[in-house]
Amino acid sequence: MTTALGTLVALPAGALAQSQPAAAGGAVSLSIPPQPLSQALMQFSRSTGVQLFFNADLVRGLQSPGAQGTFSRTEALSRLLANSGLSYRFTNATTVTITGPGSRSLATTGDADGATVLDVIDVTGGWNAASGSGFQGTPDWVYEVPESVSVISREAIQTHPARSARDLFASVPGVFTSGDNNQNTGINVNIRGLQDQGRVVTMIDGARQNFQRSGHGSTGYTFVDSALLREIDVDKSVNAGVGGAANLAGSVNFRTIIADDIIKPGQQWGVEIDATTGTNEFDFAGMASAAVRVSDNVSVLAGFSQKKIGAYAIGQNGDLGWHSAGWDLLGVDRPMFMGSSAASALFKAEMKPTDDMSLDLSWLGYRTEFSQGDAALRNDEWIRNQTATATLGWNPASALIDAKARFWFNDTTNDEFRPARNAQIPDVSTGYQLTSFGGSLDNTSTFALPAGALSLNYGLEGFRDVGSTTAEGQGIDDDPNMALWFTGANPSGTRDVWSGFGNATFEHDWLTVSGGMRYQHYRLAGTSTVFLNPYTETVVTETEVRICRAIPAGIVALRTTNPTAYQNWYNNAISNGYTFYPDDTFCSSPHIHTETEEVTRFPTEQVDVDLSGQAWTPTATVAVEPWKGLQVFAKYSDGFRPPTIMEAMLGGSHSGAYGPGFAPNPALEPEEAKTYEVGLNIAKDGIFTATDTFRAKAVAFRRDVENYIALGNIDLVAGNDTIEYAAYVNLDGTTKMKGFELEANYDLGPFYVGASYTRLLTDWAKTYTYNGETYNTEQYVIFVPPETKYTLDAGIRLFDRRLTFGGRMTYVGVADGNWGYLDSLVGTYQTESYTVYDLYGSLAVTDDARLRFAVNNLTDLAYVPALGVSSLPAPGRTATVSLNLRF
């Protein structure tokens, strides 16, 4: 779970300046006050661009005298580490490894500078590491942060090949992914029972992924390929800094690979190739990336991935009652439309224009094709997702300035072709698009106080969502109102969110105290089109009619004003060879024929929507470290989520229906949440042997949500009538979530064992009040989270860690809940308990080639995954093999 850095050199502090690379000795101006050593090293790294690798336990509880003035990098590090007993070495011009006095030495050998050569040791990465000693390779910083945070490491991503990135969340405590529409390649994350409508802020490299599409199940999707990810950060509460705006339940940040993930230490360029294939329609998943360090201050990266999977077979052991889906009657042995193809491209540039400035640029493109539906209906989908980010950092030689300006852009487009359902619902092509862009500006100022260190982080954050939905087809050309079936539930409009925040953190030895406050303001604007009450009117048609006679006179002249009778008489005359003269002499005077018809009209009306609001949301944390490696903490945070464009501007009607359907709610309020957490972190090394490690994080929590937004019925004055519509409403009372989460890992070296555990209890409010009357909500939650989930993961390493064998067991409890009158609504989404076994392993063929294998669902169990539906069971037994090459 750690990263082997190879042979290291530890130098006495007085001799350090004599043996460093030339680039490491460039002069820098620093203003690092006396403070905890961990803070001082972080400030040094930000100021110089030098990446530091060290075990967190080495610096925990140590103080640094600081470094103020102009120094070489070696001199600055010597001052910062003075009297700490720690040593360091530049492994290349921008990377430093810090080691402790307890490192094992080889026989007394040295070099001209008096260096001591150390044996190969394993050190865990710092704050930028993508893997570490924790559960399934979680980096060590997770077990130092006093809040509920989990990380899916790069090690876990590569060890367990996934059909979809959603599969990677299976072992994360407190986290699920919605499986109600697994035909869609998008990811919908559920944290502690909350999901959809932006309740969980989902990001790629800090850029929000706010795409929403209405349907009978999940509405929020994020599209990303796991092959280009270095880690996934999951924060289960709200933070006081960047990313905390419009955040109710926490956040998920998909972080893509960087140049240092591809370039080996000491090299200027690197290439990584990864290819996976397998059984059960796991056709192919591949990635190729290359990075080059153009200079000490510039590196660039390019990556490409491609995936193609088919419709898998479900497990053969167990009874799903699949008859309810109807597909078994068709002789189908697998869920329909589970195949897809996808491709991604990533470009990054990391630069330091000056010693005190940094600039990072990134672009990620994703494209996928798939179909969704059932045995009777099929929709073809094409999705394009583009995400761009830019981060400008400024960290001059001042403890008062460590500033970052971030800008991001995301555009997600879902094009869909719906074939004709019947004569009333013809072919239609729809386009669902959401464009989001925003940014932040924040700064951190650090002060050295007699009692400890005080840091202040403050700044601004904001973003805009622009939603647009189109519908085209011959039926819509003939009847424009038909477009409202497809666009009304996915309306067009804009949403703006602006936020200002500040947070103060005081740190001294065993105590950390922080508190923050955020001001948030939002506005939603747009136009919704609603159907009014249909009405019937009488349509009068007047037609001028002349009755003419035929010649010769053998035909009796017809005198009638009835057009039908005349037409019959006329046709008979023509068939007998008679000629009609146009001369009015033989025609009657004009008559006006009148016909009446009853016609039903479906009028519409445009409703302007303009919602706005504001809120103050505080956070507070207290952490105590009574013993080195043990931290106890408590955290309180307020969450705040304004309505989305979909919720605020709902309109139109259900497909195939005319008349009053959906409408916006002018009284809709934002959701608010209060989250309480109590937890502990454990990070201990050398428990039974000199090299073993133990990492654990345990958190008990409670979350109370007010104004939960759900579907109900409201009355609106529309046209000349008061009409009932389905609309989003705020539920009465409190929606509650509480539970306990644990993740832990013990690593002996040749053997490791880890576990995660989730206990989650949820209780949703069930009523809403409108115009003074209380009603049961029509539909508010269809995703029933299981109360219990746990994972056990263990393995062995052989032949100097070149060969690894591991196994994983995942148990998910029953998801039924006590829903009373809503049983008929949520019944489809209730799942039974199941236990899944997986095997995995890897072999380092050479230092540059690694072969991995995995067998998922080893027992070929037939089951429906949590938050899933009976018509989409999970895949049966699937074996994969992967080859990873690095140059």
Side-chain angles (χ1 to χ4, degrees), residues 771-795:
N771 286 338
E773 294 189 38
T774 300
Y775 306 88
N776 290 332
T777 181
E778 293 282 325
Q779 175 183 346
Y780 65 98
V781 58
I782 54 178
F783 306 104
V784 184
E787 294 184 358
T788 305
K789 179 181 79 166
Y790 59 80
T791 297
L792 297 176
D793 189 345

PDB file of all heavy atoms in Angstrom, residues 771-795:
ATOM      1  N   ASN A 771     -51.320  26.093   0.871  1.00  0.00           N
ATOM      2  CA  ASN A 771     -52.523  26.886   1.141  1.00  0.00           C
ATOM      3  C   ASN A 771     -53.198  26.475   2.440  1.00  0.00           C
ATOM      4  O   ASN A 771     -54.430  26.379   2.528  1.00  0.00           O
ATOM      5  CB  ASN A 771     -53.516  26.796  -0.025  1.00  0.00           C
ATOM      6  CG  ASN A 771     -53.066  27.601  -1.226  1.00  0.00           C
ATOM      7  OD1 ASN A 771     -52.260  28.530  -1.099  1.00  0.00           O
ATOM      8  ND2 ASN A 771     -53.575  27.252  -2.402  1.00  0.00           N
ATOM      9  N   GLY A 772     -52.370  26.188   3.442  1.00  0.00           N
ATOM     10  CA  GLY A 772     -52.896  25.876   4.758  1.00  0.00           C
ATOM     11  C   GLY A 772     -53.365  24.457   4.948  1.00  0.00           C
ATOM     12  O   GLY A 772     -53.791  24.089   6.044  1.00  0.00           O
ATOM     13  N   GLU A 773     -53.299  23.618   3.913  1.00  0.00           N
ATOM     14  CA  GLU A 773     -53.726  22.228   4.037  1.00  0.00           C
ATOM     15  C   GLU A 773     -52.525  21.297   3.883  1.00  0.00           C
ATOM     16  O   GLU A 773     -51.578  21.596   3.150  1.00  0.00           O
ATOM     17  CB  GLU A 773     -54.787  21.892   2.988  1.00  0.00           C
ATOM     18  CG  GLU A 773     -56.101  22.647   3.175  1.00  0.00           C
ATOM     19  CD  GLU A 773     -57.187  22.116   2.255  1.00  0.00           C
ATOM     20  OE1 GLU A 773     -57.240  20.892   2.050  1.00  0.00           O
ATOM     21  OE2 GLU A 773     -57.964  22.939   1.743  1.00  0.00           O
ATOM     22  N   THR A 774     -52.586  20.162   4.568  1.00  0.00           N
ATOM     23  CA  THR A 774     -51.496  19.198   4.564  1.00  0.00           C
ATOM     24  C   THR A 774     -51.861  18.009   3.687  1.00  0.00           C
ATOM     25  O   THR A 774     -52.968  17.470   3.759  1.00  0.00           O
ATOM     26  CB  THR A 774     -51.193  18.723   5.994  1.00  0.00           C
ATOM     27  OG1 THR A 774     -50.807  19.857   6.788  1.00  0.00           O
ATOM     28  CG2 THR A 774     -50.055  17.707   5.999  1.00  0.00           C
ATOM     29  N   TYR A 775     -50.890  17.574   2.857  1.00  0.00           N
ATOM     30  CA  TYR A 775     -51.102  16.485   1.914  1.00  0.00           C
ATOM     31  C   TYR A 775     -49.944  15.497   2.018  1.00  0.00           C
ATOM     32  O   TYR A 775     -48.824  15.857   2.409  1.00  0.00           O
ATOM     33  CB  TYR A 775     -51.178  16.993   0.472  1.00  0.00           C
ATOM     34  CG  TYR A 775     -52.194  18.073   0.223  1.00  0.00           C
ATOM     35  CD1 TYR A 775     -51.866  19.415   0.399  1.00  0.00           C
ATOM     36  CD2 TYR A 775     -53.487  17.753  -0.202  1.00  0.00           C
ATOM     37  CE1 TYR A 775     -52.796  20.415   0.165  1.00  0.00           C
ATOM     38  CE2 TYR A 775     -54.423  18.751  -0.442  1.00  0.00           C
ATOM     39  CZ  TYR A 775     -54.071  20.077  -0.249  1.00  0.00           C
ATOM     40  OH  TYR A 775     -55.001  21.068  -0.487  1.00  0.00           O
ATOM     41  N   ASN A 776     -50.213  14.258   1.635  1.00  0.00           N
ATOM     42  CA  ASN A 776     -49.140  13.289   1.449  1.00  0.00           C
ATOM     43  C   ASN A 776     -48.474  13.571   0.114  1.00  0.00           C
ATOM     44  O   ASN A 776     -49.146  13.806  -0.892  1.00  0.00           O
ATOM     45  CB  ASN A 776     -49.692  11.863   1.455  1.00  0.00           C
ATOM     46  CG  ASN A 776     -50.173  11.439   2.826  1.00  0.00           C
ATOM     47  OD1 ASN A 776     -49.679  11.918   3.849  1.00  0.00           O
ATOM     48  ND2 ASN A 776     -51.149  10.543   2.858  1.00  0.00           N
ATOM     49  N   THR A 777     -47.151  13.513   0.110  1.00  0.00           N
ATOM     50  CA  THR A 777     -46.445  13.781  -1.137  1.00  0.00           C
ATOM     51  C   THR A 777     -46.711  12.670  -2.150  1.00  0.00           C
ATOM     52  O   THR A 777     -46.848  11.496  -1.796  1.00  0.00           O
ATOM     53  CB  THR A 777     -44.946  13.920  -0.897  1.00  0.00           C
ATOM     54  OG1 THR A 777     -44.298  14.196  -2.135  1.00  0.00           O
ATOM     55  CG2 THR A 777     -44.359  12.650  -0.328  1.00  0.00           C
ATOM     56  N   GLU A 778     -46.806  13.061  -3.414  1.00  0.00           N
ATOM     57  CA  GLU A 778     -47.043  12.091  -4.480  1.00  0.00           C
ATOM     58  C   GLU A 778     -45.837  11.179  -4.681  1.00  0.00           C
ATOM     59  O   GLU A 778     -45.960   9.989  -4.883  1.00  0.00           O
ATOM     60  CB  GLU A 778     -47.332  12.841  -5.788  1.00  0.00           C
ATOM     61  CG  GLU A 778     -48.633  13.613  -5.780  1.00  0.00           C
ATOM     62  CD  GLU A 778     -49.815  12.709  -5.987  1.00  0.00           C
ATOM     63  OE1 GLU A 778     -49.675  11.735  -6.738  1.00  0.00           O
ATOM     64  OE2 GLU A 778     -50.874  12.963  -5.399  1.00  0.00           O
ATOM     65  N   GLN A 779     -44.652  11.768  -4.660  1.00  0.00           N
ATOM     66  CA  GLN A 779     -43.440  11.006  -4.934  1.00  0.00           C
ATOM     67  C   GLN A 779     -42.275  11.813  -4.392  1.00  0.00           C
ATOM     68  O   GLN A 779     -42.107  12.978  -4.709  1.00  0.00           O
ATOM     69  CB  GLN A 779     -43.270  10.784  -6.440  1.00  0.00           C
ATOM     70  CG  GLN A 779     -41.969  10.098  -6.816  1.00  0.00           C
ATOM     71  CD  GLN A 779     -41.826   9.974  -8.314  1.00  0.00           C
ATOM     72  OE1 GLN A 779     -42.791  10.154  -9.050  1.00  0.00           O
ATOM     73  NE2 GLN A 779     -40.637   9.685  -8.769  1.00  0.00           N
ATOM     74  N   TYR A 780     -41.489  11.240  -3.548  1.00  0.00           N
ATOM     75  CA  TYR A 780     -40.400  12.038  -3.008  1.00  0.00           C
ATOM     76  C   TYR A 780     -39.089  11.291  -2.962  1.00  0.00           C
ATOM     77  O   TYR A 780     -38.023  11.889  -3.021  1.00  0.00           O
ATOM     78  CB  TYR A 780     -40.744  12.555  -1.613  1.00  0.00           C
ATOM     79  CG  TYR A 780     -40.894  11.483  -0.564  1.00  0.00           C
ATOM     80  CD1 TYR A 780     -39.867  11.170   0.299  1.00  0.00           C
ATOM     81  CD2 TYR A 780     -42.092  10.781  -0.468  1.00  0.00           C
ATOM     82  CE1 TYR A 780     -40.026  10.191   1.251  1.00  0.00           C
ATOM     83  CE2 TYR A 780     -42.246   9.800   0.481  1.00  0.00           C
ATOM     84  CZ  TYR A 780     -41.219   9.509   1.348  1.00  0.00           C
ATOM     85  OH  TYR A 780     -41.373   8.534   2.290  1.00  0.00           O
ATOM     86  N   VAL A 781     -39.109   9.992  -2.810  1.00  0.00           N
ATOM     87  CA  VAL A 781     -37.865   9.233  -2.848  1.00  0.00           C
ATOM     88  C   VAL A 781     -38.190   7.822  -3.315  1.00  0.00           C
ATOM     89  O   VAL A 781     -39.112   7.182  -2.826  1.00  0.00           O
ATOM     90  CB  VAL A 781     -37.169   9.210  -1.478  1.00  0.00           C
ATOM     91  CG1 VAL A 781     -38.063   8.626  -0.411  1.00  0.00           C
ATOM     92  CG2 VAL A 781     -35.873   8.419  -1.543  1.00  0.00           C
ATOM     93  N   ILE A 782     -37.457   7.358  -4.286  1.00  0.00           N
ATOM     94  CA  ILE A 782     -37.655   6.011  -4.773  1.00  0.00           C
ATOM     95  C   ILE A 782     -36.415   5.164  -4.516  1.00  0.00           C
ATOM     96  O   ILE A 782     -36.373   4.007  -4.884  1.00  0.00           O
ATOM     97  CB  ILE A 782     -37.988   5.999  -6.275  1.00  0.00           C
ATOM     98  CG1 ILE A 782     -36.936   6.761  -7.062  1.00  0.00           C
ATOM     99  CG2 ILE A 782     -39.354   6.578  -6.517  1.00  0.00           C
ATOM    100  CD1 ILE A 782     -37.167   6.759  -8.553  1.00  0.00           C
ATOM    101  N   PHE A 783     -35.404   5.740  -3.880  1.00  0.00           N
ATOM    102  CA  PHE A 783     -34.159   5.031  -3.650  1.00  0.00           C
ATOM    103  C   PHE A 783     -34.053   4.676  -2.171  1.00  0.00           C
ATOM    104  O   PHE A 783     -33.853   5.529  -1.329  1.00  0.00           O
ATOM    105  CB  PHE A 783     -32.977   5.896  -4.084  1.00  0.00           C
ATOM    106  CG  PHE A 783     -33.117   6.359  -5.495  1.00  0.00           C
ATOM    107  CD1 PHE A 783     -33.486   7.658  -5.789  1.00  0.00           C
ATOM    108  CD2 PHE A 783     -32.918   5.481  -6.542  1.00  0.00           C
ATOM    109  CE1 PHE A 783     -33.639   8.074  -7.086  1.00  0.00           C
ATOM    110  CE2 PHE A 783     -33.071   5.893  -7.850  1.00  0.00           C
ATOM    111  CZ  PHE A 783     -33.433   7.188  -8.130  1.00  0.00           C
ATOM    112  N   VAL A 784     -34.221   3.410  -1.873  1.00  0.00           N
ATOM    113  CA  VAL A 784     -34.232   2.939  -0.496  1.00  0.00           C
ATOM    114  C   VAL A 784     -32.832   2.432  -0.164  1.00  0.00           C
ATOM    115  O   VAL A 784     -32.436   1.359  -0.613  1.00  0.00           O
ATOM    116  CB  VAL A 784     -35.261   1.813  -0.308  1.00  0.00           C
ATOM    117  CG1 VAL A 784     -35.337   1.403   1.155  1.00  0.00           C
ATOM    118  CG2 VAL A 784     -36.628   2.256  -0.819  1.00  0.00           C
ATOM    119  N   PRO A 785     -32.046   3.159   0.620  1.00  0.00           N
ATOM    120  CA  PRO A 785     -30.682   2.688   0.908  1.00  0.00           C
ATOM    121  C   PRO A 785     -30.701   1.546   1.902  1.00  0.00           C
ATOM    122  O   PRO A 785     -31.499   1.533   2.843  1.00  0.00           O
ATOM    123  CB  PRO A 785     -30.010   3.934   1.507  1.00  0.00           C
ATOM    124  CG  PRO A 785     -31.134   4.714   2.091  1.00  0.00           C
ATOM    125  CD  PRO A 785     -32.326   4.466   1.229  1.00  0.00           C
ATOM    126  N   PRO A 786     -29.845   0.562   1.722  1.00  0.00           N
ATOM    127  CA  PRO A 786     -29.760  -0.512   2.707  1.00  0.00           C
ATOM    128  C   PRO A 786     -29.213   0.009   4.028  1.00  0.00           C
ATOM    129  O   PRO A 786     -28.436   0.971   4.055  1.00  0.00           O
ATOM    130  CB  PRO A 786     -28.792  -1.514   2.060  1.00  0.00           C
ATOM    131  CG  PRO A 786     -28.005  -0.714   1.088  1.00  0.00           C
ATOM    132  CD  PRO A 786     -28.910   0.372   0.598  1.00  0.00           C
ATOM    133  N   GLU A 787     -29.603  -0.615   5.106  1.00  0.00           N
ATOM    134  CA  GLU A 787     -29.163  -0.162   6.413  1.00  0.00           C
ATOM    135  C   GLU A 787     -27.727  -0.582   6.717  1.00  0.00           C
ATOM    136  O   GLU A 787     -27.038   0.082   7.491  1.00  0.00           O
ATOM    137  CB  GLU A 787     -30.103  -0.690   7.500  1.00  0.00           C
ATOM    138  CG  GLU A 787     -31.513  -0.118   7.419  1.00  0.00           C
ATOM    139  CD  GLU A 787     -32.379  -0.577   8.563  1.00  0.00           C
ATOM    140  OE1 GLU A 787     -31.887  -1.372   9.411  1.00  0.00           O
ATOM    141  OE2 GLU A 787     -33.547  -0.149   8.628  1.00  0.00           O
ATOM    142  N   THR A 788     -27.269  -1.692   6.124  1.00  0.00           N
ATOM    143  CA  THR A 788     -25.955  -2.231   6.467  1.00  0.00           C
ATOM    144  C   THR A 788     -25.164  -2.566   5.209  1.00  0.00           C
ATOM    145  O   THR A 788     -25.714  -3.106   4.248  1.00  0.00           O
ATOM    146  CB  THR A 788     -26.090  -3.499   7.325  1.00  0.00           C
ATOM    147  OG1 THR A 788     -26.880  -3.201   8.475  1.00  0.00           O
ATOM    148  CG2 THR A 788     -24.734  -4.002   7.776  1.00  0.00           C
ATOM    149  N   LYS A 789     -23.887  -2.231   5.247  1.00  0.00           N
ATOM    150  CA  LYS A 789     -22.968  -2.617   4.189  1.00  0.00           C
ATOM    151  C   LYS A 789     -21.581  -2.772   4.800  1.00  0.00           C
ATOM    152  O   LYS A 789     -21.172  -1.935   5.604  1.00  0.00           O
ATOM    153  CB  LYS A 789     -22.930  -1.559   3.076  1.00  0.00           C
ATOM    154  CG  LYS A 789     -21.951  -1.891   1.939  1.00  0.00           C
ATOM    155  CD  LYS A 789     -21.925  -0.815   0.866  1.00  0.00           C
ATOM    156  CE  LYS A 789     -21.103   0.388   1.262  1.00  0.00           C
ATOM    157  NZ  LYS A 789     -20.807   1.296   0.113  1.00  0.00           N
ATOM    158  N   TYR A 790     -20.882  -3.848   4.443  1.00  0.00           N
ATOM    159  CA  TYR A 790     -19.493  -3.937   4.903  1.00  0.00           C
ATOM    160  C   TYR A 790     -18.656  -4.714   3.901  1.00  0.00           C
ATOM    161  O   TYR A 790     -19.169  -5.517   3.112  1.00  0.00           O
ATOM    162  CB  TYR A 790     -19.381  -4.554   6.302  1.00  0.00           C
ATOM    163  CG  TYR A 790     -19.923  -5.947   6.474  1.00  0.00           C
ATOM    164  CD1 TYR A 790     -19.184  -7.079   6.084  1.00  0.00           C
ATOM    165  CD2 TYR A 790     -21.161  -6.159   7.060  1.00  0.00           C
ATOM    166  CE1 TYR A 790     -19.671  -8.352   6.261  1.00  0.00           C
ATOM    167  CE2 TYR A 790     -21.666  -7.442   7.249  1.00  0.00           C
ATOM    168  CZ  TYR A 790     -20.915  -8.533   6.849  1.00  0.00           C
ATOM    169  OH  TYR A 790     -21.410  -9.798   7.024  1.00  0.00           O
ATOM    170  N   THR A 791     -17.360  -4.440   3.938  1.00  0.00           N
ATOM    171  CA  THR A 791     -16.396  -5.058   3.035  1.00  0.00           C
ATOM    172  C   THR A 791     -15.207  -5.556   3.840  1.00  0.00           C
ATOM    173  O   THR A 791     -14.712  -4.850   4.724  1.00  0.00           O
ATOM    174  CB  THR A 791     -15.904  -4.064   1.971  1.00  0.00           C
ATOM    175  OG1 THR A 791     -17.000  -3.651   1.153  1.00  0.00           O
ATOM    176  CG2 THR A 791     -14.837  -4.685   1.087  1.00  0.00           C
ATOM    177  N   LEU A 792     -14.743  -6.765   3.536  1.00  0.00           N
ATOM    178  CA  LEU A 792     -13.501  -7.306   4.075  1.00  0.00           C
ATOM    179  C   LEU A 792     -12.554  -7.534   2.911  1.00  0.00           C
ATOM    180  O   LEU A 792     -12.942  -8.129   1.894  1.00  0.00           O
ATOM    181  CB  LEU A 792     -13.750  -8.613   4.828  1.00  0.00           C
ATOM    182  CG  LEU A 792     -14.638  -8.532   6.072  1.00  0.00           C
ATOM    183  CD1 LEU A 792     -14.862  -9.926   6.647  1.00  0.00           C
ATOM    184  CD2 LEU A 792     -14.026  -7.606   7.111  1.00  0.00           C
ATOM    185  N   ASP A 793     -11.316  -7.066   3.052  1.00  0.00           N
ATOM    186  CA  ASP A 793     -10.346  -7.135   1.968  1.00  0.00           C
ATOM    187  C   ASP A 793      -9.015  -7.584   2.559  1.00  0.00           C
ATOM    188  O   ASP A 793      -8.508  -6.962   3.497  1.00  0.00           O
ATOM    189  CB  ASP A 793     -10.207  -5.761   1.308  1.00  0.00           C
ATOM    190  CG  ASP A 793      -9.380  -5.801   0.041  1.00  0.00           C
ATOM    191  OD1 ASP A 793      -8.688  -6.802  -0.192  1.00  0.00           O
ATOM    192  OD2 ASP A 793      -9.412  -4.811  -0.710  1.00  0.00           O
ATOM    193  N   ALA A 794      -8.445  -8.682   2.041  1.00  0.00           N
ATOM    194  CA  ALA A 794      -7.186  -9.195   2.572  1.00  0.00           C
ATOM    195  C   ALA A 794      -6.357  -9.782   1.444  1.00  0.00           C
ATOM    196  O   ALA A 794      -6.892 -10.202   0.406  1.00  0.00           O
ATOM    197  CB  ALA A 794      -7.437 -10.248   3.653  1.00  0.00           C
ATOM    198  N   GLY A 795      -5.038  -9.811   1.646  1.00  0.00           N
ATOM    199  CA  GLY A 795      -4.167 -10.364   0.625  1.00  0.00           C
ATOM    200  C   GLY A 795      -2.777 -10.642   1.143  1.00  0.00           C
ATOM    201  O   GLY A 795      -2.415 -10.268   2.268  1.00  0.00           O
TER     202      GLY A 795
END
